[in-house]
Every structure is written in C-alpha cells, then in structure tokens.
Amino acid sequence: MSIAVFDTNVLVYIFDTVYNSDKDKFKEVINYFLLLYYQIWIPKNVKKEFLQGKRRKKRYYRFLKRYNYLIKECPINISNKEIDIILTPEIHIGEADGLLQIQKANYYPFYSIRNNLIFVSNDKNAIKAAKKMNIEIQQFTEIQQLLREGGIII
C-alpha cells in the first residue's frame, strides 16, 4: 500500500484547475487516487501555503471532511528547526515539510513496513532534493498520464 505526500503545486492544481472546472471529473480523480494510494498526506506547511487563498479555506476543510478515509493531515510532527536544515531558495517550506515527513516516517516501522511512502510533486527542485534524500517520487505529470490512460483527462 502506498501513502502519497502531496506538494502544494499538486493541491493547487487539483483544486484550482480540476475542481473549479469540473466537479464530476474531480470525483473521478479522487476515485482514481483510491486505486493508487492507501492515504494521501497533506503536510502542515503545504496546508498553510494552500490556505492563503480565502476561497480555498472552506473548500479544503469540506474536502478533508468528505474524503477523510483517503486524505489526512500528516501525522508526524516536523519542527521548524528540522525544516530550516533543508530549506533553500529552491526548496520552499511546504516541499521541505513534505520531504521530511517521508524521511521521518521511514524511521517508524508502523509506516515504513506496511506502506510505501511517495512524494508527489511537479516542482523540479523538490524532485531533485527528494532523489538526493533517496525518497521515492512520483511526478504529477505521471499521474496525469495514468489518468489519461484510464480515460480521465485533466
């Protein structure tokens, strides 16, 4: 079973592009995510970055409530000091938080033995950092291709 940790750019795309343009297609995407992942984790700082838009706040909490069996806020605490260690001009706080969530989760047998942890992003710098940290990645463009193959074009 896989747990995906979403970066801000993926959340923004799903909400601002897919949800706003076609709510039925959004449901299809969520159903497809159910096939791909056991859970989707949203890091604390990804949530903060995402909620900067006022319209998103209400929708985000409704989204978490409606899809609580799939989408969860990250269960692992990451301190600001830990984030500061890998924060660079190229790696933003949300990306750093997501990468550290996976790295820390891999130390806990509860998560690492039962699950495959994947960082999902389209940010080239975040993907490069994930590779350096030996974190499994999945570019969102790959997911879009899988969706296309399944007849869901977003």
Side-chain angles (χ1 to χ4, degrees):
M1 302 209 136
S2 295
I3 294 175
V5 177
F6 277 13
D7 190 6
T8 309
N9 61 43
V10 175
L11 268 187
V12 168
Y13 185 83
I14 290 169
F15 272 103
D16 291 352
T17 304
V18 180
Y19 184 85
N20 287 336
S21 66
D22 189 341
K23 289 176 181 55
D24 289 331
K25 193 163 297 260
F26 175 81
K27 289 177 186 173
E28 289 178 32
V29 170
I30 294 297
N31 287 333
Y32 195 79
F33 286 161
L34 278 169
L35 297 174
L36 291 176
Y37 310 117
Y38 166 67
Q39 285 183 346
I40 296 171
W41 288 355
I42 309 298
K44 172 180 68 174
N45 288 296
V46 166
K47 174 185 159 186
K48 266 189 211 173
E49 288 178 344
F50 180 76
L51 292 180
Q52 289 174 356
K54 285 185 180 181
R55 288 182 26 204
R56 290 180 182 158
K57 197 171 207 169
K58 188 175 183 181
R59 194 177 311 147
Y60 175 81
Y61 287 108
R62 193 173 345 133
F63 179 70
L64 275 183
K65 188 175 180 181
R66 182 174 292 150
Y67 301 105
N68 66 348
Y69 52 89
L70 175 65
I71 298 160
K72 311 269 184 200
E73 292 186 0
C74 284
I76 296 169
N77 292 319
I78 303 293
S79 73
N80 289 335
K81 286 183 181 182
E82 289 173 297
I83 290 172
D84 287 344
I85 292 170
I86 68 167
L87 208 57
T88 67
E90 295 84 29
I91 304 297
H92 303 114
I93 193 165
E95 296 155 352
D97 193 0
L99 293 170
L100 289 170
Q101 288 285 341
I102 292 174
Q103 195 173 49
K104 216 171 190 180
N106 279 324
Y107 289 109
Y108 294 108
F110 178 77
Y111 297 115
S112 63
I113 291 173
R114 296 177 6 178
N115 303 292
N116 185 30
L117 295 137
I118 303 168
F119 182 67
V120 180
S121 180
N122 259 351
D123 186 280
K124 290 178 184 176
N125 292 318
I127 290 168
K128 187 191 286 186
K131 286 179 182 177
K132 285 182 183 176
M133 297 169 75
N134 293 319
I135 292 173
E136 186 176 341
I137 58 158
Q138 188 168 33
Q139 292 187 21
F140 190 64
T141 52
E142 294 171 14
I143 295 171
Q144 288 175 303
Q145 180 60 37
L146 290 171
L147 287 165
R148 252 184 251 114
E149 290 170 8
I152 305 167
I153 298 170
I154 59 170

